[in-house]
Amino acid sequence: MLLALGTGAAAARDAHALSQDDIDWLRRDSFELDSTTVSMYRDLGRSRLLDRQLDGRVGDELPAPINALINSYEAGSVSTEQLLTNLRDEQENIKAMPDGDAKTAARKAQQQHANDLLQQAQEIEMLHAIYGPNQLKEQMVWFWLNHFSVYGAKGRVRWVAADYVQNTIRPHALGKFRDLVMATLESPAMMEFLDNAQNAKGHVNENYARELMELHTLGVGSGYTQQDVQQLALILTGAGVAPLRDPKNMRPRVAEMVVRNGMFEFNPRRHDFSDKVLLGHKIKGSGFDEISEAVDLITRQPACAQFVSRKLAEYFVSDTPSPELVARMAHTFQRTDGDIAEVLQTMFDSKELAASYGKKFKDPMQFVVSSVRMAYDGKPIANAKPLLNWLNQLGEPVFGRLTPDGWPLDSTGWSSSGQMAKRFEIAGAIGTGNNRLLTPEGQPKSGGDFPMLTTRLYYDTFDTKLSVPTRDALAKATTQQEWNTFLLSSPDFNYR
Amino acid sequence: MKRREFLLAAATAAVAAPALSFSGKLFATPASNSPRLLLVFLRGGYDSNNLLVPYSSDFYYESRPTLAIAKPDPYNANSAIGLDNSWGLNPVLRDTIYPLWQKRQVAFIPFAGTDDMSRSHFETQDNVESGEPTGQRSNFRSGFMARLSGQMSTVPAIAFTDALPLSFQGSGHDIPNISLRGNPKPVYDERQANILAGMYRDTSLASAAADGLELRQTVSKELQDEMMKANRGAPNAKNFADETTRIATMMRDQYRLGFVDVGGWDTHVNQGSTTGQLANNLSNLGKGLAAYADALGDEWNNTVVVVVSEFGRTFRENGNKGTDHGHGTVYWVLGGKVNGGRIAGQQVAVAPQSLLQNRDYPVLNNYRDVLGGLMGRMWGMSGSQLQSVFPGAHPKDLQLV
């Protein structure tokens, strides 16, 4: 019924161009406009579109050819447990081989396999970002992937990277923040990356404990101490990645305390059962429940609401969001027990968002994704590898942040002279068609197709508001390719 | 070169040659023998206790059952190289840094660092790069290298990084950055470059856009060819020595202040001693620095390289044969005219009672004081100039050059 009404309304409104305010809002709600996004907005209107994005009624379905591409990847079609089992088998085979060239070659092949899996995971994330119909959710998946950053090249992370985005981050991207923290805590990727898989009684490793409070929840300087880090590290002992063999015999009382969830395992034999004091609260030594209790405690601190709200506002609204906006978002966070959708609703309703239109510089991920959305407007690409190369060159690869703090959210991180020059070059690679996006991998490049950016979408949404310098530049273009390149390089396109 | 000549060279640099074409702001050609500073930032807090081994300390051997490096022993190639009665060098640096030490071109400063106690990588890196007093940062987008560059407006500066590091932010003029991986060839001709830059003329990114395009045009043909050749051979694993050779090419010809960072030093697990993760990193770093010295040729005599890191690590190894975040660390100062072959700065015996919070090295040589003192000597900067670079610091002259 709603849908039918929407379609009727769309037909009536179709004649009218979107207002500048609509366009500006929608550019912030999405990675960038494409025809599908614009027509959904025309059908539903702003508040219903936002509601449906936030409650997930706008789904994650991708166009069939993009789905087929993803399903052709091992990382997109084989379960995490199977991948890790294969890895173990490969490793055992290699170990059993006599030293020599064959063994060296097998090692090399295994490394290549791991690199391929990571690359597939990166491509899958890029394809979702470009083609996902729920663009707000896609932005949130990227945001959390960055907030709970893991470095792909470390250890087994390459084997579980795709799982991390699709099964850890994506299902909780618009849910409760606490659940998201628990999901990352129970992900093999995070356990591996921040060494908690190694954290055991008598062999305490405080890496994850520190970053969990500093980077994921409370923020540095929010009041926790070195002592709190050490206590949380003890609480987290025993949390790690499930072994792929049946566990050795455990006494029934110990076995009862094992917690398994996918490839996560809490092993009571590795846990320190002493009582702890975290952030002034006593936590009774009890096993896995300590972890739940600690995460509850941490995520309900006012500092957590403040820290997460501020980062969201930095990503979506401004490099320096107003304290009032952050306070309102943090208030919503606390009132709703960390409901991410509600916090976003507060932010998207704010006057601060409207005041920031045209002032937020796109980071490289936003630039690459938005360029391809604008240039190809829903047309399926056949090869996602160039996307990764561009993101690498711009210095923001998916799973490429070596340190767990994630990529910067402000323009200073991305607008240095070296990066501007690179950005212009990549605008050129897209605008001139001098790339292999339309050529399936491994095939000779077919044709020199370049996209046509002078489309209905462009005239409806960009043309009327271009700045004078950009208009001048476009007028000086001598070919369509150059025109495309200038548009994708322009401040009008690179700020949103 | 004596200190007096060093200073004279600095004065010569101050009246540098005229600028090149295009926007003409950046590329003042400096006098050939003016001093040059490269800051190398090791991100991740490297374990300095396995770089500079306190081999006379029994406590070191008790604290590191699997990580300790053996006392100097001429019959054991995996033992520390004795530098003096207390300190030894990780033997993975035998062919790269030790020869420089023997030429007295390297000094190490243990117990160096900041008074930031957060032991957070990100907080402490920002703290160090800002160069402002801990807890009193007034400008969160201002770094000490940028302020130094502001004091020396004719000393051209550049960062060899993907993004402009905080150290070089906030100078009031654009400081270019360039990644020395990937294809450095310019893809736009001058007409296109002018049109592209023109679109940004009314924005805050005007100089970044123009300078970025210009820098592409001026990367030397020689360097472009070398990089293309190298990239074809090894598309992925670039080694630091290749990069420092390229850095040397640019620093020799065009720049006098440089910055490069090297990541991967956060060794919580299976850190290793003379083999393993840390040893590999140190070995690559040593090769890179030696290659830099080599590539500069005679200009090595006008060059100072300072290697810093945000903090050191726990003195005792943790339960996973690694180390956790600590405090004081070891800084390196290298250069043809460096007053080296010595362990510089204030020190304390390495013993349980000298540890900070029973955990790690204390900081006895605050980096702001040490670097301020060094810069003072290099460029003959006045007290008030140094205060603008490191506000509130007490520059300490360790006679490093």
Side-chain angles (χ1 to χ4, degrees):
Chain A
M1 184 62 191
L2 275 174
L3 193 67
L5 270 176
T7 318
R13 267 201 301 268
D14 217 355
H16 308 292
L18 295 183
S19 75
Q20 192 59 50
D21 184 60
D22 291 332
I23 293 166
D24 290 335
W25 186 89
L26 197 52
R27 288 188 74 207
R28 205 62 68 86
D29 176 71
S30 60
F31 272 109
E32 186 53 272
L33 305 181
D34 70 0
S35 296
T36 309
T37 301
V38 170
S39 93
M40 203 168 1
Y41 188 87
R42 282 190 169 128
D43 286 350
L44 294 170
R46 186 179 301 184
S47 64
R48 274 198 294 158
L49 173 64
L50 185 59
D51 285 351
R52 286 176 183 217
Q53 287 174 326
L54 293 176
D55 68 18
R57 269 182 292 166
V58 179
D60 292 352
E61 299 84 28
L62 301 173
I66 298 298
N67 249 336
L69 184 58
I70 290 176
N71 285 329
S72 74
Y73 299 156
E74 186 183 7
S77 54
V78 179
S79 77
T80 311
E81 176 149 23
Q82 192 59 52
L83 286 175
L84 287 176
T85 306
N86 295 350
L87 169 65
R88 181 205 60 197
D89 294 347
E90 272 180 45
Q91 278 171 335
E92 285 179 359
N93 283 340
I94 292 172
K95 217 171 163 184
M97 290 169 80
D99 288 344
D101 290 351
K103 188 171 190 165
T104 310
R107 276 230 173 83
K108 228 173 147 184
Q110 192 191 40
Q111 285 305 313
Q112 187 57 49
H113 186 193
N115 291 339
D116 290 346
L117 286 170
L118 177 62
Q119 190 167 310
Q120 291 166 7
Q122 294 170 310
E123 291 183 21
I124 293 170
E125 165 54 12
M126 298 289 290
L127 290 167
H128 272 280
I130 293 168
Y131 293 98
N134 191 338
Q135 281 282 296
L136 178 55
K137 180 171 175 183
E138 292 304 334
Q139 290 196 82
M140 289 308 297
V141 170
W142 169 258
F143 175 85
W144 293 127
L145 190 56
N146 191 51
H147 182 82
F148 297 97
S149 184
V150 298
Y151 179 57
K154 179 165 174 177
R156 287 182 292 182
V157 176
R158 283 173 291 185
W159 300 77
V160 294
D163 168 74
Y164 186 62
V165 197
Q166 298 309 323
N167 302 322
T168 299
I169 301 288
R170 180 171 291 279
H172 301 286
L174 295 164
K176 293 272 188 185
F177 181 72
R178 186 222 179 258
D179 297 340
L180 182 57
V181 173
M182 277 309 287
T184 55
L185 192 153
E186 295 189 0
S187 71
M190 187 62 79
M191 289 295 96
E192 183 86 6
F193 175 49
L194 288 180
D195 303 319
N196 210 75
Q198 318 265 351
N199 186 18
K201 181 183 182 176
H203 301 273
V204 175
N205 191 308
E206 60 188 48
N207 199 16
Y208 178 54
R210 178 184 300 280
E211 308 306 6
L212 177 57
M213 287 197 284
E214 176 180 339
L215 299 174
H216 297 171
T217 56
L218 300 177
V220 74
S222 57
Y224 63 86
T225 62
Q226 177 63 37
Q227 184 73 6
D228 288 319
V229 171
Q230 287 165 337
Q231 292 285 292
L232 183 56
L234 288 181
I235 290 169
L236 288 163
T237 48
V241 183
L244 293 153
R245 302 247 183 257
D246 290 334
K248 295 185 198 90
N249 285 336
M250 283 187 188
R251 282 177 291 120
R253 283 191 50 194
V254 178
E256 266 172 31
M257 302 180 91
V258 172
V259 176
R260 279 271 189 128
N261 185 3
M263 292 310 295
F264 172 79
E265 182 189 74
F266 173 77
N267 181 346
R269 289 203 296 206
R270 294 166 62 82
H271 184 71
D272 180 315
F273 277 90
S274 64
D275 294 345
K276 291 97 179 172
V277 177
L278 178 66
L279 302 170
H281 293 254
K282 192 163 172 193
I283 293 189
K284 183 123 191 60
S286 60
F288 183 76
D289 287 349
E290 293 170 48
I291 296 179
S292 267
E293 210 180 321
V295 169
D296 281 342
L297 176 65
I298 292 168
T299 54
R300 287 190 180 137
Q301 300 288 309
C304 180
Q306 182 77 21
F307 180 65
V308 173
S309 297
R310 187 180 165 86
K311 278 194 74 173
L312 282 165
E314 283 174 358
Y315 183 79
F316 281 100
V317 182
S318 162
D319 289 358
T320 50
S322 77
E324 293 78 19
L325 172 64
V326 176
R328 287 206 302 285
M329 292 167 66
H331 179 74
T332 304
F333 189 103
Q334 286 193 276
R335 179 174 56 79
T336 62
D337 200 20
D339 189 305
I340 297 160
E342 296 273 7
V343 176
L344 289 175
Q345 180 88 52
T346 299
M347 186 182 76
F348 271 90
D349 286 345
S350 72
K351 60 184 192 309
E352 286 88 348
L353 185 86
S356 72
Y357 293 150
K359 293 178 187 155
K360 188 72 184 142
F361 188 69
K362 290 177 182 175
D363 71 15
M365 175 71 177
Q366 291 164 347
F367 168 70
V368 170
V369 170
S370 68
S371 297
V372 174
R373 280 176 64 78
M374 179 86 182
Y376 289 90
D377 196 12
K379 179 178 179 176
I381 58 169
N383 179 4
K385 211 168 256 179
L387 304 170
L388 304 190
N389 292 341
W390 294 330
L391 215 50
N392 281 339
Q393 289 179 46
L394 289 167
E396 196 184 23
V398 190
F399 300 113
R401 180 78 171 177
L402 182 64
T403 52
D405 55 340
W407 302 110
L409 301 180
D410 62 344
S411 71
T412 324
W414 307 113
S415 60
S416 68
S417 49
Q419 290 166 311
M420 291 304 289
K422 266 281 175 245
R423 187 174 289 225
F424 297 147
E425 287 173 24
I426 288 156
I430 298 170
T432 60
N434 187 13
N435 63 63
R436 301 175 58 88
L437 286 176
L438 298 179
T439 307
E441 232 195 301
Q443 291 184 18
K445 183 162 159 46
S446 46
D449 295 340
F450 56 87
M452 294 295 289
L453 277 153
T454 40
T455 57
R456 171 83 190 276
L457 177 69
Y458 163 76
Y459 286 110
D460 279 357
T461 56
F462 264 88
D463 183 58
T464 52
K465 61 144 194 181
L466 288 179
S467 67
V468 173
T470 297
R471 210 171 280 289
D472 289 349
L474 292 175
K476 287 178 192 152
T478 54
T479 60
Q480 178 69 42
Q481 287 104 311
E482 215 177 69
W483 191 97
N484 294 342
T485 300
F486 292 164
L487 182 69
L488 296 178
S489 301
S490 70
D492 307 72
F493 183 76
N494 282 279
Y495 283 95
R496 62 173 189 162
Chain B
M1 187 190 281
K2 305 236 167 49
R3 170 172 140 78
R4 198 165 47 79
E5 294 169 64
F6 216 79
L7 296 181
L8 193 64
T12 318
V15 285
L20 300 179
S21 61
F22 211 77
S23 83
K25 288 193 306 281
L26 278 178
F27 304 105
T29 308
S32 66
N33 61 346
S34 62
R36 148 189 319 100
L37 174 66
L38 178 70
L39 186 74
V40 179
F41 201 121
L42 309 184
R43 296 192 191 274
Y46 84 114
D47 180 28
S48 61
N49 306 115
N50 269 15
L51 164 81
L52 198 58
V53 179
Y55 73 83
S56 62
S57 160
D58 292 341
F59 179 51
Y60 171 77
Y61 292 95
E62 289 158 19
S63 302
R64 299 187 159 222
T66 66
L67 299 186
I69 295 175
K71 292 176 197 241
D73 172 357
Y75 301 103
N76 177 4
N78 284 324
S79 66
I81 306 166
L83 299 179
D84 65 14
N85 291 335
S86 308
W87 303 99
L89 188 66
N90 191 316
V92 298
L93 299 172
R94 189 183 308 279
D95 300 331
T96 52
I97 299 301
Y98 187 55
L100 294 172
W101 171 273
Q102 289 173 309
K103 285 191 262 182
R104 310 182 72 79
Q105 294 181 347
V106 188
F108 293 106
I109 310 170
F111 309 104
T114 116
D115 51 1
D116 183 316
M117 287 298 293
S118 68
R119 295 195 182 91
S120 148
H121 293 298
F122 319 104
E123 187 73 4
T124 316
Q125 285 177 19
D126 283 0
N127 179 287
V128 170
E129 292 193 64
S130 93
E132 293 185 62
T134 302
Q136 296 173 40
R137 278 171 69 189
S138 55
N139 185 341
F140 286 84
R141 287 295 179 201
S142 173
F144 73 84
M145 291 288 278
R147 295 194 298 275
L148 176 65
S149 166
Q151 290 296 318
M152 313 257 169
S153 54
T154 55
V155 176
I158 189 166
F160 301 98
T161 48
D162 291 341
L164 192 66
L166 177 60
S167 304
F168 262 148
Q169 289 176 23
S171 67
H173 56 271
D174 185 59
I175 292 178
N177 69 298
I178 187 166
S179 167
L180 292 180
R181 298 163 290 158
N183 180 0
K185 283 203 161 151
V187 306
Y188 293 113
D189 61 30
E190 192 158 342
R191 179 190 71 91
Q192 291 170 317
N194 277 322
I195 294 173
L196 287 165
M199 289 195 290
Y200 282 85
R201 69 178 184 237
D202 297 336
T203 74
S204 58
L205 298 182
S207 55
D211 293 347
L213 288 157
E214 184 183 1
L215 181 56
R216 288 289 157 148
Q217 314 278 343
T218 58
V219 170
S220 72
K221 177 87 172 55
E222 174 201 2
L223 186 57
Q224 283 176 29
D225 291 348
E226 188 271 327
M227 284 176 69
M228 290 299 283
K229 210 167 75 195
N231 291 339
R232 252 203 314 278
N236 286 318
K238 305 290 187 302
N239 99 37
F240 185 57
D242 288 343
E243 208 175 326
T244 54
T245 310
R246 292 166 195 156
I247 291 173
T249 306
M250 296 190 74
M251 288 293 282
R252 189 183 60 217
D253 300 340
Q254 289 171 301
Y255 297 97
R256 286 298 176 270
L257 287 181
F259 178 101
V260 63
D261 51 11
V262 193
W265 302 91
D266 194 18
T267 49
H268 289 272
V269 173
N270 291 333
Q271 174 182 304
S273 57
T274 57
T275 58
Q277 197 184 338
L278 177 71
N280 289 341
N281 280 350
L282 284 174
S283 169
N284 285 333
L285 179 67
K287 281 181 197 153
L289 295 173
Y292 184 69
D294 199 41
L296 278 167
D298 291 346
E299 285 297 302
W300 180 238
N301 282 334
N302 297 312
T303 295
V304 175
V305 177
V306 180
V307 180
V308 306
S309 184
E310 67 265 30
F311 45 58
R313 305 189 74 82
T314 46
F315 192 77
R316 299 177 185 88
E317 69 181 61
N318 67 18
N320 307 132
K321 301 177 183 169
T323 50
D324 294 319
H325 300 185
H327 196 56
T329 186
V330 176
Y331 287 179
W332 318 17
V333 180
L334 309 88
K337 291 293 171 197
V338 159
N339 181 11
R342 66 192 177 114
I343 311 295
Q346 199 184 325
Q347 295 167 45
V348 65
V350 177
Q353 61 274 18
S354 42
L355 292 190
L356 177 74
Q357 297 176 340
N358 191 27
R359 184 181 168 97
D360 42 45
Y361 274 178
V363 169
L364 306 176
N365 302 293
N366 186 289
Y367 79 104
R368 299 181 341 115
D369 302 340
V370 171
L371 294 184
L374 173 64
M375 288 167 186
R377 277 185 88 85
M378 282 180 70
W379 285 285
M381 295 170 76
S382 70
S384 67
Q385 281 180 311
L386 289 176
Q387 283 300 309
S388 72
V389 178
F390 293 114
H394 305 285
K396 194 153 72 176
D397 186 358
L398 299 181
Q399 311 206 334
L400 291 164
V401 290

